[in-house]
Amino acid sequence: MPTEVRGALNLRKALKQFTPDLAKETQKELGALLKPVTVKARGFIPSQSPLSGWAKESATGRFPLWSSQAAKRGIGYKTTPSRPNRSGFRALARIVNNSAAGAIYETAGRVNPQGRPQGLTREVVIPTFRRDTGVGEIRYTTSTGKEYGKSTNPNAGKQFIDAINANGNIVDANAQTGRGRRSRKFRGRAIFKAWYEDGGKTNAAVLKAIEQAKVKFDAAVKVR
């Protein structure tokens, strides 16, 4: 969940270059503002796997294994600029989800509320050899295209989303973002739900902290 201020990136560079103590003070203040929302978001991660089979490794090992502890731990905050997105936007302060399984829980069903359709599948056989067991093979079913699921069950996508929704529905945080950027991606079950319930207070506080840092910077530069 990012916060945007025009010229904030240039301000941060100037703070680091000319007033490093103020730069550290500002980052510490931003972190203190984001931490409560981060803690709240972690509380929306279910303590058990949303699906019984998700906590077990898949046949191919490609689908992220669910761990409630890892999903909670994966939610954190950063007060350093993000990389530019396709539109050139960079977030100065943001709450992030570094857990693959946690990110799936956060956003699953956001694009396809009924789950991804299942594509035509084929069985893949990979020969293997182990010293202890000898010749063997790995078999799994796959389909082509990211927009399609890989299950032989035509209702797998819907069942997956229904199971996750039983633990928490997707919440649209745009209405409570406050001043700043809007996006169709500001919807989810943990981070975005916490941001929604915050009601835009943290967003406003972060913007105010950055603006106050600029005032302090201008005053410090004038003294010099």
Side-chain angles (χ1 to χ4, degrees):
M1 197 78 210
T3 294
E4 178 186 22
V5 170
R6 291 186 181 277
L9 188 59
N10 290 333
L11 172 62
R12 182 177 183 276
K13 291 178 180 178
L15 288 172
K16 290 186 67 176
Q17 183 175 357
F18 299 107
T19 55
D21 289 341
L22 180 56
K24 292 178 181 178
E25 177 189 327
T26 302
Q27 280 194 282
K28 186 176 180 180
E29 183 178 0
L30 295 179
L33 291 170
L34 294 174
K35 186 175 181 180
V37 182
T38 301
V39 172
K40 191 166 192 175
R42 289 173 179 165
F44 292 133
I45 298 294
S47 57
Q48 296 182 343
S49 173
L51 294 88
S52 59
W54 198 354
K56 302 175 183 178
E57 189 169 357
S58 64
T60 63
R62 296 180 180 181
F63 197 78
L65 192 65
W66 175 266
S67 165
S68 295
Q69 184 178 5
K72 290 175 183 286
R73 191 170 56 243
I75 297 177
Y77 61 84
K78 291 188 177 182
T79 57
T80 54
S82 64
R83 293 181 180 181
N85 63 12
R86 294 178 181 178
S87 302
F89 169 78
R90 298 179 72 173
L92 185 65
R94 62 202 186 279
I95 298 175
V96 297
N97 193 330
N98 292 316
S99 163
I104 291 173
Y105 177 79
E106 176 83 52
T107 63
R110 191 163 66 181
V111 176
N112 296 305
Q114 299 301 314
R116 290 188 303 174
Q118 305 304 309
L120 296 175
T121 59
R122 60 187 177 86
E123 185 178 45
V124 177
V125 180
I126 302 176
T128 62
F129 179 81
R130 291 178 52 178
R131 291 182 179 180
D132 55 344
T133 60
V135 177
E137 61 184 27
I138 296 176
R139 292 176 175 265
Y140 66 91
T141 302
T142 186
S143 63
T144 57
K146 291 184 178 180
E147 66 274 18
Y148 294 102
K150 303 180 185 299
S151 175
T152 55
N153 175 6
N155 298 315
K158 184 178 185 305
Q159 291 170 356
F160 182 76
I161 300 301
D162 287 347
I164 294 181
N165 284 340
N167 290 269
N169 290 314
I170 286 179
V171 172
D172 188 348
N174 277 294
Q176 297 291 350
T177 296
R179 173 184 157 199
R181 187 168 169 262
R182 299 287 189 276
S183 171
R184 64 179 178 81
K185 293 183 178 180
F186 287 2
R187 300 167 59 238
R189 296 181 177 85
I191 294 175
F192 296 100
K193 183 176 181 179
W195 198 257
Y196 173 84
E197 293 193 358
D198 178 69
K201 294 190 293 290
T202 296
N203 189 72
V206 168
L207 295 175
K208 184 177 180 180
I210 295 172
E211 290 166 352
Q212 289 178 338
K214 184 179 185 305
V215 172
K216 292 179 182 179
F217 172 75
D218 290 342
V221 172
K222 285 180 180 179
V223 171
R224 293 184 182 185

